[in-house]
Amino acid sequence: MSTRQRGNESLLKSCPCRGFSQSSIVRGYITEQTRRDFPAVKVVSPTSPFQAVLKGAVIFGHDPLIFRGRISRWTFGIETNVRFDENVHDSEKKWTNEQTGEIFCKDIFDKHVRKGESVTLNAERKSLVYWTMYEYQTTMKVKIYKSEFTDLKYVTDEGCKYIGYIEVHFPRRRKRRGIEVSMIYGGTQLAVIAKDCETGEECKADIKFENMENVMEPKILNIRYDL
């Protein structure tokens, strides 16, 4: 147990919950240990913990948007390539696009949501644009990762976990294509939306999940992941 910071305010209260909080022995032990190790923290015991949990679940089921925001449990990001900078990037990440001759750095973790960040539910976040690497590509694979850390540089960093991808299909051939990718928090799910930069339309995509805690319903235009 430890005090945490939320903005400039310290969290100085501890609230036991669910069944154990009904036990006077458990409450007494928690209060005693907290008073000894964290004298500034006050232990607050709910009067009807099970009822509070059940009531909250029922209210949320009737109106999921009763909670307007949520603190992200994970840092979410997209794997991408950027132009190589020897002053910034590791040499082993360097590669050359044989078609264009450009030198890139691979395995970049492009952050969309930071762990601990307060996000508004069902609100589309700022889009980031990704471009095809080769001329006249007909598809683009967008790989999605999560991590418990916030300071990632590469998707190969320790603690970074691959969770799935969307493979975007381009109906008309063009020399270079760009897609706008944005993430939307839906309370218990994360949606990833891909739009064509030229038309603004959501892209048709194939979806594949890996390393999932729960099996999700397939979607045509976006990818969803249980949080």
Side-chain angles (χ1 to χ4, degrees):
M1 182 180 184
S2 62
T3 57
R4 292 178 177 268
Q5 296 292 323
R6 181 177 58 189
N8 293 324
E9 300 177 2
S10 295
L11 300 183
L12 298 178
K13 292 183 180 180
S14 172
C15 182
C17 62
R18 306 186 73 170
F20 277 121
S21 61
Q22 290 183 307
S23 168
S24 59
I25 297 175
V26 172
R27 288 203 309 269
Y29 179 80
I30 291 176
T31 301
E32 179 183 343
Q33 296 298 312
T34 302
R35 186 181 297 117
R36 185 193 68 185
D37 297 333
F38 304 96
V41 177
K42 181 180 179 181
V43 178
V44 179
S45 298
T47 55
S48 303
F50 264 119
Q51 182 180 350
V53 173
L54 180 60
K55 185 177 180 180
V58 172
I59 293 175
F60 181 75
H62 281 281
D63 183 13
L65 292 181
I66 192 171
F67 304 108
R68 301 303 176 187
R70 181 173 177 174
I71 303 299
S72 177
R73 293 174 54 198
W74 305 96
T75 296
F76 290 97
I78 302 295
E79 178 186 342
T80 189
N81 297 269
V82 298
R83 284 186 171 83
F84 185 81
D85 183 341
E86 62 182 9
N87 296 317
V88 176
H89 303 126
D90 297 339
S91 58
E92 63 268 21
K93 300 292 185 181
K94 182 178 180 180
W95 70 280
T96 301
N97 184 329
E98 295 181 357
Q99 188 179 74
T100 64
E102 295 176 290
I103 300 175
F104 289 95
C105 178
K106 63 181 181 180
D107 296 334
I108 293 292
F109 182 89
D110 199 14
K111 193 181 305 175
H112 279 250
V113 179
R114 180 189 295 269
K115 178 183 178 180
E117 180 181 351
S118 177
V119 291
T120 303
L121 300 185
N122 291 326
E124 188 168 335
R125 297 174 60 80
K126 181 181 178 180
S127 299
L128 297 178
V129 177
Y130 301 95
W131 294 89
T132 51
M133 297 300 299
Y134 301 98
E135 296 179 357
Y136 301 106
Q137 277 185 226
T138 57
T139 63
M140 179 192 291
K141 184 179 289 187
V142 180
K143 295 183 179 181
I144 305 164
Y145 291 78
K146 72 174 185 179
S147 175
E148 59 181 319
F149 303 112
T150 60
D151 56 348
L152 287 86
K153 187 174 182 180
Y154 303 108
V155 297
T156 53
D157 288 350
E158 181 180 0
C160 191
K161 185 178 181 181
Y162 171 66
I163 60 175
Y165 70 83
I166 54 176
E167 187 169 17
V168 180
H169 299 268
F170 302 121
R172 295 178 296 277
R173 288 173 59 86
R174 290 201 293 270
K175 188 173 183 178
R176 197 158 183 245
R177 306 291 290 260
I179 59 171
E180 293 183 4
V181 176
S182 59
M183 295 188 177
I184 301 175
Y185 252 77
T188 58
Q189 294 179 327
L190 178 77
V192 181
I193 310 297
K195 296 180 181 179
D196 190 305
C197 285
E198 184 174 304
T199 64
E201 298 177 350
E202 289 189 355
C203 300
K204 181 178 179 182
D206 293 329
I207 301 168
K208 182 175 178 61
F209 290 98
E210 295 185 17
N211 299 320
M212 289 187 59
E213 285 85 1
N214 298 288
V215 176
M216 295 297 300
E217 205 177 296
K219 303 289 180 181
I220 295 177
L221 298 177
N222 58 43
I223 182 171
R224 294 184 181 270
Y225 184 77
D226 262 8
L227 302 174

